[in-house]
Amino acid sequence: MTRKTFMALVADVLPHIRELMPWDVEEMLAANPDLMVVDIRELEEYDAGHIRNSLHAPRGILESACDWGYAETIPELARARDKPVVLVCRSGNRTALAALTLALMGYSQVYSMKTGVRGWNDYELPLYDAAGNQVDIDRAEEDLNPPVRPDQLEPKGVAS
């Protein structure tokens, strides 16, 4: 089996999923306030700033959250197989992989929001914290762009 990087995996799934830009999602929400937006980031990311009324279902439990009979089952999500579902993460990469998975699970109208919550914030659309307060755009920008530490970089001379 060929070893792939995270971004190579994402690139492989892109031809098989549907993506929307943040402004497309904004228009869909205006036309259909009941549109299901599912944020698959970790809880601390979600709490720092998320799209109003988005459902939180972390990537680590997404499959069981979408299916019946699990402690993680989210009934609204399990019932949404024939409804439009927009997945969001920080940059649109995790949601690309998740969109393919949900399509394989029978979700007929699943979308990945390209550019993720970063793009939503760049487009100056509102994000809300865990208390329901609107997050300052500049603070959100900092939170959505954490620095990469030196120990997280590939050592020089080591091939991927």
Side-chain angles (χ1 to χ4, degrees):
M1 184 177 292
T2 305
R3 178 179 148 176
K4 294 189 177 193
T5 64
F6 173 53
M7 292 312 297
L9 289 172
V10 170
D12 284 351
V13 304
L14 291 178
H16 308 286
I17 66 165
R18 292 179 282 189
E19 292 183 291
L20 298 169
M21 294 303 290
W23 49 87
D24 299 320
V25 176
E26 177 190 32
E27 287 177 15
M28 289 174 75
L29 281 167
N32 178 8
D34 294 328
L35 175 71
M36 183 172 287
V37 176
V38 180
D39 193 317
I40 68 165
R41 296 175 299 152
E42 296 299 316
L43 182 60
E44 57 274 3
E45 294 176 282
Y46 179 83
D47 284 350
H50 59 270
I51 297 170
R52 186 189 298 270
N53 299 323
S54 59
L55 183 68
H56 183 237
R59 179 71 187 101
I61 62 158
L62 184 62
E63 292 81 0
S64 56
C66 290
D67 216 350
W68 295 105
Y70 296 93
E72 299 84 15
T73 299
I74 300 173
E76 311 90 298
L77 189 52
R79 282 190 211 98
R81 279 187 164 69
D82 296 319
K83 297 178 182 175
V85 175
V86 178
L87 302 175
V88 299
C89 65
R90 184 175 58 212
S91 62
N93 295 321
R94 286 178 276 183
T95 53
L97 298 171
L100 180 62
T101 300
L102 265 59
L104 292 170
M105 292 179 73
Y107 284 76
S108 60
Q109 299 179 64
V110 64
Y111 304 90
S112 171
M113 189 170 78
K114 192 171 184 157
T115 73
V117 178
R118 278 183 183 160
W120 184 269
N121 190 62
D122 289 346
Y123 194 57
E124 298 186 5
L125 295 169
L127 293 171
Y128 297 87
D129 64 18
N133 301 310
Q134 189 167 340
V135 178
D136 176 75
I137 289 173
D138 294 329
R139 194 193 104 214
E141 178 74 19
E142 289 176 25
D143 290 344
L144 292 167
N145 293 291
V148 176
R149 299 184 318 260
D151 66 314
Q152 294 172 315
L153 297 170
E154 185 172 18
K156 290 182 183 353
V158 177
S160 296

